[in-house]
Amino acid sequence: AAGTPVGSGGGLGSPAFADIATAGTYYVEVGGANATGRYSITVTDLGVDQGNTQATAAAISPGVPTAGIISSSSDEDWFSFSAAAGSIYRVSCSSSGGSNYGCYGWVKDSSGGTVARLQTSAGAYYGATTEAELVATTSGTYYVQLDYYISGGYPFTLTVTNLGTDDHGNVPANASAISIGAAASGEVQY
């Protein structure tokens, strides 16, 4: 009733978003910039915004997809998960928001240092599906930070998958032995 804006944006065919902190009645103002014509409007509750800082990160469990939305250019969504030292984790973010929307983010350790950056299979840091794989160097809490890139308002699904431990060594010092003529199998995890 006081007329204080809580959100803005939109435009022809584009969504506008508002983070509503207090229950109550809100009003939507619709206008045209030197234009007239018909319009339709839909108001949708997108749920509770995830934590906006590392300190307020929403806890998620590996193997359980988590839905969210980056609602504006000032929104960040943070998630935390527990990791075991030596285990390999894949962090995957998929967005269905269209060509101007996409997952953009990082995996961070408990001190806030970046341990991996999400990227597409082509190596871009922004896209409809981005992933990162990492080996947890210590047991503890790791964080995923998702952020605004080109446009706010993209819905996403975040999944952290525990791929287990490496089945063979990565360097000669801890290589697996194999005899001539014997078969060996494995999986390249990252």
Side-chain angles (χ1 to χ4, degrees), residues 89-152:
Y89 293 87
R90 176 182 296 129
V91 178
S92 176
C93 181
S94 298
S95 175
S96 59
S99 62
N100 287 331
Y101 307 98
C103 294
Y104 182 63
W106 306 262
V107 180
K108 308 227 172 190
D109 60 21
S110 59
S111 65
T114 298
V115 294
R117 185 163 184 184
L118 279 69
Q119 58 187 4
T120 67
S121 59
Y125 293 124
Y126 163 85
T129 300
T130 56
E131 293 184 338
E133 291 185 359
L134 65 133
V135 177
T137 56
T138 60
S139 294
T141 303
Y142 286 75
Y143 298 87
V144 179
Q145 175 191 5
L146 298 177
D147 202 350
Y148 164 88
Y149 184 69
I150 292 176
S151 297

Side-chain angles (χ1 to χ4, degrees), residues 31-42:
N34 300 319
T36 60
R38 296 172 124 346
Y39 67 88
S40 66
I41 187 168
T42 303

Side-chain angles (χ1 to χ4, degrees), residues 77-90:
D77 283 353
W78 285 73
F79 301 88
S80 65
F81 65 96
S82 294
S87 288
I88 303 164
Y89 293 87
R90 176 182 296 129

Side-chain angles (χ1 to χ4, degrees), residues 23-80:
T25 301
Y26 292 83
Y27 302 88
V28 177
E29 178 182 5
V30 177
N34 300 319
T36 60
R38 296 172 124 346
Y39 67 88
S40 66
I41 187 168
T42 303
V43 177
T44 305
D45 182 353
L46 299 173
V48 176
D49 187 32
Q50 306 295 343
N52 290 325
T53 66
Q54 185 172 342
T56 60
I60 60 173
S61 298
V64 179
T66 301
I69 187 165
I70 297 294
S71 59
S72 69
S73 62
S74 62
D75 188 22
E76 292 182 1
D77 283 353
W78 285 73
F79 301 88
S80 65

